[in-house]
Amino acid sequence: MKSIRIGAGAGYAGDRIEPAVELMEKGNIDYIVFECLAERTIAIAQQEKMKDPTKGYNGLLPERMRRILKLTKEKNIKVITNMGAANTKAAVEVTKNIAKELGITGLKIAGILGDDIYDSIDKYKDNEILELGCKLKDLDGEILSSNVYLGAESIVEALENGADIIITGRVADPALFMAPIIYEFKWSLEDKFKMGQAVLAGHLLECAGQVTGGYYADPGYKDVENLHLLGFPIVEIDETGEFIVTKVKGSGGKVSSATCKEQMLYEIHDPSAYFTPDIVADFSKVTFEDIEDDVVKVTGASSKHQPETLKVSIGYKDCFIGEGEISYGGTNAINRAKLAADIVEKRLKLIGANIEEYRVDYIGYNSLYKDSISSPIKPESFSEIRLRISGRTKERKDAVLIGNEVEALYTNGPAGGGGATKAVSEVISICSIFIPRDAVDVRVIYEEV
Amino acid sequence: MKLKEIAHSRTGDKGDISNISLIVYDMKDYELIKEKVTAEKVKEYFKEICHGEVKRYEIDSIGVLNFVLDKALGGGVTRSLALDKHGKSLSSALLEMEI
């Protein structure tokens, strides 16, 4: 029976590179997928591209390509990645030049274009923003980027045309993994169970180490060995749609039913309706079976229909956040921190800082869970406490005042405050609209070396 | 008993929505968490953090409850003032719940 093996080479933009190399050298894989594009990353990449039209792709792309291109050729492993970010064209060009530099020939590099609809976003000014409940034309803040979440289709097309390396911008994460499965087994939307399994395979792989024991360990409760050598996952899927999740033998980490369950629910709302651009998947009857150490068999996913619309992710200039921190130690530390917070609050009012939302945290006590959950867990007294004050403002000048007032506690505040830090950041937020599927014009470009 | 003794958890984020899974180590405890850890109880537990609705989804085949908390991430991951903007540590908070 025909089966293929797909590895996950990255789960976020800055992920480790060695596990990807290990997968290519020892994983006996046919495809490797690098998922490197979080929601907001593309808006930041778009700003880089505006400053320099040759930039705007993933910053680690050159290093990753230098490390893997030779292996791609030697082991005949196809590479799929969204490292194109806001500038897929430039990413294709850079990859081609690195291949040339390394003396590698006989590689076809494809770029998927069309996710970027920034130039035509005005067409959708009357569309409703999902998160804000207002129309796009009423969005308060300059739009920086607009990218459609594409599905697997154009990647499948590139594979059919013999591409060895496929670089994309915004594509739904699972689709990066579904594309080679759909291409190899020629599945269609009518294959409800198989397509559901393909989405699940992609979803389990998309965060790389998060299914092989990364983000899982809790000593004494859930032990995982050699996390510093964490191996990235492999899915081996056959033509029936059944698949196993595993990793390279001898690598660190762990694959078990439990690691798979945690990852399956990661960023999932209704498990019977998980939306991807290609199909709505149903994970509500999935089963995991530990068939040997680090090998889990996965069955039971299904799927429904194809969504009629595609989601567009819009990055915009939203606001500023100003923050300051300072630490207090020893007996009565918490009360000195509280006095400090009181001083800063009064000072900010006195100097007329214009702050939309204000927050006081005591790191070490309630910064993660606030009071009602934190209080029953807290010790009798704190050996140290770190005060953090933050605020959201419309103008940078108001955000600056917050950190300044915290810093001024050094000479003007309670006894023994130390390690003050301050920061101001411009906030680029993300919101979404939906547009008709046929409004998107996807194009595949090719370069050969 | 704390949930941590019988279950594990992971949190995910989408905009201002946090989802927190609750996964039993042993299927024999699934009916217990299904009975005790209701959406209402979770809403009350996270009252200072979650300012919207809490929905609960059940996946009987693997012994998992999935809680979806609306308006729980301080206005969304990008603009939240929280130290943990993604709410990634909320999984550990749920496991502190006494049943």
Side-chain angles (χ1 to χ4, degrees):
Chain A
M1 197 188 311
K2 180 176 173 177
S3 66
I4 56 163
R5 283 166 70 91
I6 305 170
Y12 80 99
D15 215 341
R16 295 175 185 163
I17 299 180
E18 308 98 285
V21 174
E22 178 184 60
L23 272 181
M24 294 178 83
E25 284 174 342
K26 302 178 190 164
N28 191 26
I29 53 173
D30 306 292
Y31 294 87
I32 189 161
V33 177
F34 294 84
E35 195 291 291
C36 298
L37 201 52
E39 269 200 308
R40 200 167 45 150
T41 317
I42 208 158
I44 294 160
Q46 189 77 31
Q47 284 183 303
E48 285 170 16
K49 186 184 166 185
M50 281 173 189
K51 278 186 212 140
D52 179 350
T54 67
K55 292 275 158 46
Y57 51 83
N58 177 279
L60 281 176
L61 175 126
E63 190 181 343
R64 286 202 173 98
M65 289 300 175
R66 276 200 180 88
R67 297 279 293 273
I68 66 162
L69 280 184
K70 211 160 158 247
L71 281 164
T72 304
K73 184 73 192 164
E74 278 173 16
K75 302 259 186 181
N76 193 25
I77 299 168
K78 290 182 189 282
V79 178
I80 300 169
T81 179
N82 54 13
M83 279 192 278
N87 201 347
T88 297
K89 256 187 198 164
V92 168
E93 195 62 26
V94 167
T95 304
K96 185 179 80 174
N97 291 337
I98 291 170
K100 278 186 183 164
E101 202 183 293
L102 298 173
I104 299 168
T105 54
L107 277 184
K108 192 168 184 177
I109 307 159
I112 311 287
L113 309 178
D115 64 300
D116 184 348
I117 59 160
Y118 178 73
D119 290 335
S120 57
I121 194 68
D122 279 349
K123 270 205 302 206
Y124 304 110
K125 61 182 191 302
D126 288 320
N127 288 38
E128 187 169 310
I129 297 174
L130 172 74
E131 295 84 357
L132 305 172
C134 66
K135 288 189 172 171
L136 183 59
K137 64 182 175 198
D138 299 322
L139 179 68
D140 183 18
E142 183 196 343
I143 292 179
L144 298 171
S145 65
S146 308
N147 296 79
V148 184
Y149 276 89
L150 301 178
E153 204 175 349
S154 49
I155 305 174
V156 173
E157 180 189 320
L159 290 167
E160 281 166 351
N161 288 328
D164 300 291
I165 295 166
I166 300 165
I167 302 174
T168 76
R170 179 57 76 205
V171 167
D173 296 349
L176 298 167
F177 299 88
M178 290 162 67
I181 300 173
I182 295 169
Y183 162 69
E184 293 278 356
F185 299 121
K186 313 287 175 228
W187 293 344
S188 76
L189 296 174
E190 305 311 311
D191 297 307
K192 298 291 181 201
F193 289 101
K194 292 172 180 172
M195 286 296 281
Q197 288 281 107
V199 178
L200 181 55
H203 178 64
L204 289 173
L205 287 171
E206 70 180 74
C207 296
Q210 273 197 189
V211 75
T212 49
Y215 210 59
Y216 175 84
D218 193 351
Y221 292 88
K222 298 183 290 176
D223 290 304
V224 183
E225 284 177 19
N226 293 325
L227 277 168
H228 64 296
L229 299 172
L230 183 65
F232 281 178
I234 300 166
V235 156
E236 183 176 318
I237 187 164
D238 69 32
E239 62 195 38
T240 69
E242 222 171 75
F243 67 85
I244 57 161
V245 183
T246 187
K247 64 186 185 68
V248 171
K249 271 208 163 49
S251 62
K254 172 185 194 151
V255 181
S256 68
S257 292
T259 68
C260 290
K261 285 176 195 174
E262 279 199 18
Q263 188 54 23
M264 185 179 94
L265 271 301
Y266 181 69
E267 294 183 342
I268 291 279
H269 295 169
D270 179 353
S272 71
Y274 177 56
F275 277 72
T276 80
D278 296 290
I279 204 151
V280 179
D282 180 353
F283 299 161
S284 63
K285 295 183 179 64
V286 166
T287 57
F288 298 103
E289 189 190 340
D290 294 277
I291 54 177
E292 54 184 274
D293 276 356
D294 297 321
V295 182
V296 173
K297 188 166 113 180
V298 185
T299 50
S302 185
S303 64
K304 297 174 172 174
H305 55 279
Q306 183 169 66
E308 281 164 15
T309 53
L310 293 175
K311 185 165 141 179
V312 181
S313 183
I314 296 169
Y316 64 101
K317 284 189 180 177
D318 185 356
C319 54
F320 290 88
I321 290 180
E323 54 193 309
E325 292 181 10
I326 188 164
S327 291
Y328 296 90
T331 301
N332 216 25
I334 186 81
N335 289 324
R336 275 176 285 137
K338 283 181 176 170
L339 172 60
D342 182 57
I343 295 167
V344 172
E345 193 175 340
K346 285 175 177 157
R347 284 289 309 167
L348 287 169
K349 276 202 186 102
L350 199 71
I351 61 176
N354 197 358
I355 298 168
E356 289 178 353
E357 191 187 333
Y358 185 74
R359 177 169 170 141
V360 177
D361 291 302
Y362 300 95
I363 299 174
Y365 165 44
N366 71 354
S367 69
L368 297 177
Y369 307 146
K370 299 202 174 165
D371 292 316
S372 67
I373 296 174
S374 303
S375 292
I377 312 172
K378 83 172 170 62
E380 285 296 302
S381 70
F382 297 97
S383 60
E384 59 182 65
I385 203 91
R386 187 157 178 83
L387 169 67
R388 173 176 181 266
I389 293 179
S390 55
R392 184 158 53 232
T393 67
K394 207 67 208 166
E395 307 287 336
R396 179 180 287 273
K397 65 175 173 52
D398 292 303
V400 169
L401 300 174
I402 298 168
N404 287 354
E405 284 298 335
V406 173
E407 186 185 60
L409 291 166
Y410 264 142
T411 52
N412 301 282
T421 55
K422 59 178 179 177
V424 173
S425 50
E426 181 172 17
V427 175
I428 292 165
S429 281
I430 290 289
C431 62
S432 327
I433 60 167
F434 291 89
I435 66 168
R437 176 172 286 278
D438 56 15
V440 182
D441 182 23
V442 183
R443 206 155 51 87
V444 188
I445 55 165
Y446 299 93
E447 290 281 352
E448 290 187 51
V449 288
Chain B
M1 172 175 68
K2 281 186 177 177
L3 283 176
K4 192 169 173 72
E5 290 169 41
I6 56 169
H8 56 111
S9 174
R10 179 172 294 183
T11 314
D13 61 277
K14 286 275 177 215
D16 200 13
I17 303 171
S18 173
N19 86 285
I20 312 176
S21 59
L22 187 64
I23 307 164
V24 290
Y25 288 107
D26 190 327
M27 281 301 273
K28 74 173 168 45
D29 294 318
Y30 182 52
E31 287 306 318
L32 179 71
I33 65 160
K34 235 173 137 172
E35 183 200 324
K36 301 280 186 192
V37 194
T38 59
E40 295 71 40
K41 188 162 177 188
V42 170
K43 164 88 183 145
E44 169 63 21
Y45 187 71
F46 285 109
K47 64 181 180 229
E48 287 181 303
I49 294 169
C50 172
H51 306 289
E53 197 190 355
V54 174
K55 275 192 194 149
R56 185 180 93 166
Y57 297 95
E58 298 148 18
I59 311 172
D60 294 345
S61 58
I62 49 174
V64 175
L65 300 177
N66 188 35
F67 296 93
V68 179
L69 284 65
D70 194 23
K71 300 190 177 72
L73 296 178
V77 173
T78 56
R79 66 198 324 259
S80 167
L81 292 180
L83 195 57
D84 175 12
K85 294 174 191 298
H86 299 84
K88 285 185 181 276
S89 63
L90 295 178
S91 52
S92 304
L94 180 61
L95 296 180
E96 290 293 323
M97 184 189 274
E98 293 279 351
I99 58 161

